[in-house]
Amino acid sequence: MLETPLLPLRLPQKYSFVLDFDTPIVTMSWLPLAGALVLLMIDSAIELALISSMVGYLHRSGANKYPFLSDTGALAFIGPKPKGLLLNEGHTSNGASGTALIIVCFGGFLVLWNERRRERRSQTRKPSGLFVTWTVFTVLSWLLTLSAMAYTFAVTNQTKGQRVDKAVAVQFQGEAYPLQKWTPGNWHKALLALPITSDKDAKYLHHWLRVIEGWKWNLIPMFFIGLLVAALSVRMCLQDRTQRRTTKA
């Protein structure tokens, strides 16, 4: 029996295809940066919410007085805020989170939408001047977050371990506690170290201590996510220059 030789399979011309490696694939190139922006938007919004809650609480709590037992066993009251309350670290962190949310995230989504639109029209991967400007702001925002984190933890460590002198607190009942400088977190820890006689007040102070500690520790993930956004945006800016150098070589 004769065997029929196998002929090479040839596709009809209408089914042939060509891979054009020069055509930019715009869909996937922006996804890592867009995903990092979503993470930063969520984290910075949480930071803003926590700081805003703390600020509102500090403004509302001016008339509060917390009962505690003095050294003599008598009942005394201490005010909600000391005279030397430090708030600059909260203002700095609030500015860092607001910058990250509004300029980097909201502005970034608008810039990415403009870049995608520009790519589809001109078929070019070269970043626009708007994208380069926004990239500079991502780096500046990350540096602001770094400064806020460093300043917050430095001030917290400087005032760490301080205690309220009960004898002085008894003398200044109805007035702000006059000794030392305090961060909101360390002040609340000192208040909770007193023999507070009201369980309701103790739970109230514990709640706000968790809020204050929350925004402080949330600066760490915001720092790393901001670094990721800045690195990806810088990489997008340098990608076109690297490709052009490779093509020339």
Side-chain angles (χ1 to χ4, degrees):
M1 183 177 179
L2 297 177
E3 296 183 358
T4 304
L6 296 176
L7 298 176
L9 179 62
R10 295 183 179 179
L11 293 174
Q13 186 65 30
K14 64 179 180 179
Y15 294 112
S16 62
F17 60 93
V18 177
L19 291 177
D20 185 4
F21 293 99
D22 294 329
T23 302
I25 304 175
V26 299
T27 304
M28 297 299 295
S29 60
W30 300 101
L31 286 182
L33 182 55
L37 282 176
V38 171
L39 293 178
L40 184 60
M41 179 180 65
I42 295 172
D43 194 69
S44 58
I46 292 173
E47 183 75 6
L48 269 178
L50 292 175
I51 295 176
S52 299
S53 297
M54 182 198 71
V55 171
Y57 154 71
L58 291 176
H59 283 297
R60 293 191 308 268
S61 64
N64 292 358
K65 293 181 180 180
Y66 304 114
F68 70 97
L69 293 177
S70 65
D71 292 331
T72 61
L75 187 65
F77 292 87
I78 188 170
K81 292 181 288 186
K83 187 176 181 181
L85 186 62
L86 302 173
L87 297 174
N88 286 336
E89 72 277 9
H91 295 317
T92 307
S93 300
N94 187 64
S97 56
T99 302
L101 180 63
I102 297 174
I103 296 180
V104 176
C105 295
F106 293 162
F109 286 123
L110 292 176
V111 170
L112 291 186
W113 172 80
N114 179 70
E115 292 298 303
R116 287 288 305 276
R117 185 165 169 266
R118 181 171 165 269
E119 281 186 355
R120 289 170 178 171
R121 286 185 174 183
S122 60
Q123 293 296 310
T124 178
R125 292 182 67 114
K126 184 178 180 181
S128 64
L130 179 62
F131 184 84
V132 173
T133 302
W134 174 77
T135 298
V136 173
F137 277 104
T138 64
V139 177
L140 293 177
S141 174
W142 172 72
L143 291 175
L144 180 58
T145 302
L146 173 62
S147 301
M149 183 177 66
Y151 180 55
T152 297
F153 280 91
V155 173
T156 301
N157 288 332
Q158 288 175 1
T159 60
K160 186 179 180 181
Q162 295 180 168
R163 290 185 174 274
V164 172
D165 189 323
K166 288 188 284 185
V168 175
V170 170
Q171 293 177 7
F172 286 86
Q173 291 188 73
E175 300 179 29
Y177 183 76
L179 300 182
Q180 301 167 311
K181 300 292 184 181
W182 303 84
T183 62
N186 287 338
W187 171 248
H188 281 71
K189 290 178 182 178
L191 288 179
L192 289 169
L194 293 172
I196 301 291
T197 59
S198 172
D199 291 337
K200 182 179 179 181
D201 288 337
K203 290 180 180 178
Y204 183 72
L205 292 172
H206 269 295
H207 167 74
W208 286 109
L209 177 60
R210 286 193 295 268
V211 172
I212 295 167
E213 291 289 296
W215 72 255
K216 183 185 79 172
W217 291 104
N218 189 62
L219 288 170
I220 296 177
M222 196 171 80
F223 164 78
F224 284 109
I225 300 173
L227 175 61
L228 178 62
V229 169
L232 289 174
S233 58
V234 169
R235 178 177 174 270
M236 294 297 295
C237 285
L238 299 178
Q239 189 174 21
D240 177 71
R241 181 180 297 180
T242 303
Q243 289 179 348
R244 282 186 293 176
R245 286 180 179 178
T246 304
T247 304
K248 289 180 181 180

